Amino acid sequence: PQTVPDPATLKPMVLHAGGQVVAKPMKAKDIIVIASLKDADLCKPLIASGMRVYSEEFILSGILRQELNYERY
């Protein structure tokens, strides 16, 4: 993945904000995938399976504001 910040940096941020990080995507509607636009081709199968894929900005702004804005991103 080409996310910025990289996954190793994002993981503690998500955990400290009360989220969970999974290594393999599962078929669950509670899963939110964070990906870079550069990885759009990698995300097509995830989107096709019904998973929600958002940009890094989605999770970073959500952590700062302590709320997730699904419509904006």
Side-chain angles (χ1 to χ4, degrees), residues 7 17 23 41-42 48-51 60 64 73:
D41 286 339
L42 295 173
S49 71
M51 289 189 182
L60 294 173
L64 289 172
Y73 300 97

Side-chain angles (χ1 to χ4, degrees), residues 10 14 34 54-64 68:
L10 279 174
V14 170
I34 304 301
Y54 294 95
S55 70
E56 305 98 321
E57 187 67 26
F58 168 79
I59 197 68
L60 294 173
S61 67
I63 290 170
L64 289 172
L68 297 176

Side-chain angles (χ1 to χ4, degrees), residues 12-13 16 34 40 44 51 61 67:
M13 292 179 182
H16 288 304
I34 304 301
K44 286 180 182 177
M51 289 189 182
S61 67
E67 67 179 357

Side-chain angles (χ1 to χ4, degrees), residues 1-3 6-7 12-13 17 21-22 29 31 33 36 44 46 48 51 55-56 63 65 70:
Q2 299 184 50
T3 57
D6 61 275
M13 292 179 182
V21 177
V22 294
K29 58 183 172 185
I31 298 289
V33 178
S36 169
K44 286 180 182 177
L46 300 175
M51 289 189 182
S55 70
E56 305 98 321
I63 290 170
R65 296 177 184 190
Y70 295 96

